[in-house]
Amino acid sequence: MGVILLALVVLSIIIWLGLLCFRGQFWLLDQQLEVEKLHTTSLPRVCAVIPARNEAELLPISLRSLLLQDYPGSLEVFLVDDRSTDGTANFAEGVAYALDKSQQLHIISGEPLPPGWSGKLWAVEQGIKNATKLTPDYYFLTDADIEHDVNSLCRLVAKAEQENLDLVSVMVRLRCQSYWEKLLIPAFVFFFQKLYPFRWVNNPKNPTAAAAGGSILIRREALERIGGIQAIRQALIDDCALAAAVKRSGVEEDARTWGRSDAEIFSFPASPRLPMSVSSPRGRIWLGLSTLTHSLRPYNSLATIWDMVARTAYTQLNYSPLLLLGTLVGMTLIYLVPPIGVMLGVVWRNWGILFTGLFAWLLMTLAYYPTIRFYKCSFWFALSLPAIAFLYTLMTLDSALRHWQGRGGNWKGRVYPNTNNS
């Protein structure tokens, strides 16, 4: 038994060394928008689109921050009231009126949700449909719970213009004030970056694609090229689906340049014959972190964070029982085996298991610490990663159970049919 456990702990160490050295250095958190020196002389027209369903409580802060952007170019804001029952539209009008920005704000009454659409994307589609009449250069897709730094849009536009990007997105700083937020929210960011290393996302030679839905700047031509929001209309993880479609569009253009067939193109990323390098200016995306723009959404209890994760965790696994099983085994091996080795090493007085377990635990703590520091939490939370990972493993399992029971994708009072969007 001791030999098996020692082998598992050693395997965990090997995996952690691989993650630290060969997974795009995701743990360094070095892709941050505000640390770059950005400047542009062009002033493209931007239309912001905000889907809002029962967001009256947060709009006085979030909408105000958007209307007060220090952006010298043209900015129009389209807020889609997604059949709210709390007076969302009235609050939005009041915010704009108080700032003398009523002409800049366009409020759209949402139409009933048609079959085959997620609620948020249907609202975004209606906002874009109205914004298109102004022929903007960019759409700025954001959420009603985001408080933007005053220079946020300027930085996003400068980044897109300077580097000729089709899509620029930042993962805003999530709220991290309550105990449960400090325990679990930094880990959410850590796991997301491990799944989608930002360096890989930002590398046009790598097929990895992701975005963060709270702040996405996308070129109008890029959105039209992929077929509009309709192309991802059923996606619950809509931000990553949008980024994948945009990045893929650049590969498709290169593929046609190289004379590839449609069958090869649409096998991306499986076909090794497709050029992985996006040599054309189209399809380039960038994803980073923001230290100044942040989410207002509170997660004061374990239950609220649990529901947030369980809503889409099984979707992320493409509703695959095999991927679920692999995830459960992987999480156990990577995060739980080391502390188990430490505890059993003490009980058995097996110093080999004890010290290898401690070494594996140290590796994961070192990997997690930059995220803990980014969120200004105590170092002791970094040592708690095994327990945190155990909770996330249970959330993922619960997400699958909800899917099997027909309760998956519950959000804002709606339960969406479970659809494989791969």
Side-chain angles (χ1 to χ4, degrees):
M1 186 68 173
V3 174
I4 295 176
L5 181 56
L6 179 61
L8 291 176
V9 175
V10 170
L11 180 56
S12 181
I13 290 174
I14 294 172
I15 293 173
W16 272 110
L17 290 174
L19 290 172
L20 288 167
C21 299
F22 305 109
R23 189 69 185 169
Q25 296 184 299
F26 71 93
W27 51 281
L28 291 178
L29 280 72
D30 59 353
Q31 305 294 295
Q32 297 184 29
L33 184 65
E34 285 88 2
V35 301
E36 299 187 26
K37 293 183 179 180
L38 300 170
H39 177 71
T40 181
T41 56
S42 61
L43 298 174
R45 177 188 290 267
V46 179
C47 285
V49 177
I50 313 174
R53 180 175 171 85
N54 295 328
E55 299 286 6
E57 182 179 355
L58 299 179
L59 278 177
I61 301 175
S62 61
L63 181 58
R64 185 177 189 275
S65 72
L66 190 56
L67 290 173
L68 291 178
Q69 283 296 295
D70 186 17
Y71 179 64
S74 172
L75 171 63
E76 301 288 328
V77 179
F78 291 78
L79 185 141
V80 183
D81 179 17
D82 188 14
R83 307 178 74 79
S84 301
T85 58
D86 66 348
T88 287
N90 292 334
F91 274 87
E93 289 177 350
V95 171
Y97 179 80
L99 298 174
D100 195 23
K101 300 278 188 178
S102 296
Q103 292 183 339
Q104 194 176 343
L105 176 66
H106 310 265
I107 298 178
I108 302 162
S109 296
E111 300 176 2
L113 180 66
W117 284 81
S118 74
K120 176 182 176 180
L121 290 179
W122 175 236
V124 171
E125 167 72 8
Q126 294 173 77
I128 288 177
K129 183 179 179 181
N130 283 269
T132 300
K133 300 173 184 177
L134 300 181
T135 319
D137 299 291
Y138 291 94
Y139 298 109
F140 183 33
L141 310 182
T142 185
D143 292 335
D145 61 351
I146 304 298
E147 182 178 10
H148 300 271
D149 175 67
V150 67
N151 294 311
S152 175
L153 184 57
C154 272
R155 294 191 191 96
L156 291 169
V157 170
K159 181 74 173 177
E161 291 290 291
Q162 260 185 220
E163 301 183 16
N164 203 14
L165 300 166
D166 272 349
L167 182 149
V168 182
S169 177
V170 290
M171 174 172 276
V172 305
R173 184 187 288 271
L174 303 179
R175 206 185 93 133
C176 195
Q177 299 176 12
S178 69
Y179 168 77
W180 288 109
E181 288 170 336
K182 292 177 181 179
L183 181 68
L184 296 173
I185 291 301
F188 179 84
V189 177
F190 178 79
F191 293 140
F192 184 86
Q193 291 194 98
K194 182 158 70 79
L195 186 61
Y196 302 105
F198 287 7
R199 286 190 180 187
W200 289 5
V201 171
N202 301 339
N203 182 357
K205 296 181 180 180
N206 191 302
T208 304
S215 180
I216 297 177
L217 184 74
I218 181 171
R219 289 184 191 269
R220 176 175 53 84
E221 293 89 345
L223 186 60
E224 292 173 352
R225 186 169 64 248
I226 67 172
I229 293 297
Q230 184 174 356
I232 58 167
R233 64 187 178 277
Q234 291 183 322
L236 291 182
I237 309 177
D238 50 88
D239 41 16
C240 292
L242 179 61
V246 171
K247 196 167 190 179
R248 172 174 166 163
S249 70
V251 174
E252 291 173 5
E253 177 159 316
D254 279 0
R256 292 192 173 94
T257 300
W258 286 89
R260 303 302 189 221
S261 66
D262 284 349
E264 289 177 298
I265 291 172
F266 289 103
S267 67
F268 173 77
S271 174
R273 296 182 61 193
L274 281 178
M276 287 297 100
S277 172
V278 183
S279 60
S280 74
R282 296 183 176 183
R284 297 176 183 268
I285 66 175
W286 187 89
L287 171 63
L289 294 168
S290 174
T291 58
L292 300 178
T293 295
H294 60 275
S295 171
L296 300 169
R297 185 77 60 194
Y299 294 99
N300 292 321
S301 66
L302 174 61
T304 55
I305 299 176
W306 192 293
D307 287 340
M308 183 264 290
V309 175
R311 183 173 66 93
T312 58
Y314 197 45
T315 303
Q316 188 67 64
L317 300 176
N318 292 321
Y319 309 112
S320 168
L322 289 178
L323 288 178
L324 174 65
L325 178 61
T327 299
L328 298 180
V329 172
M331 293 288 282
T332 300
L333 178 60
I334 296 172
Y335 295 99
L336 303 185
V337 165
I340 291 174
V342 170
M343 290 184 289
L344 292 182
V346 171
V347 172
W348 295 342
R349 295 186 178 181
N350 187 320
W351 308 122
I353 293 177
L354 171 63
F355 286 113
T356 52
L358 281 173
F359 183 58
W361 200 340
L362 175 63
L363 288 177
M364 76 171 80
T365 300
L366 291 176
Y368 188 39
Y369 180 66
T371 304
I372 287 296
R373 185 176 58 186
F374 180 82
Y375 274 93
K376 300 178 181 179
C377 296
S378 169
F379 171 77
W380 299 108
F381 284 107
L383 291 172
S384 304
L385 187 56
I388 296 167
F390 178 66
L391 287 175
Y392 271 91
T393 302
L394 295 180
M395 295 176 202
T396 303
L397 181 59
D398 183 48
S399 179
L401 293 174
R402 294 184 186 193
H403 164 76
W404 295 329
Q405 295 170 358
R407 299 185 294 119
N410 190 337
W411 180 245
K412 294 283 186 178
R414 294 177 174 135
V415 178
Y416 302 108
N418 300 305
T419 304
N420 191 327
N421 296 296
S422 60

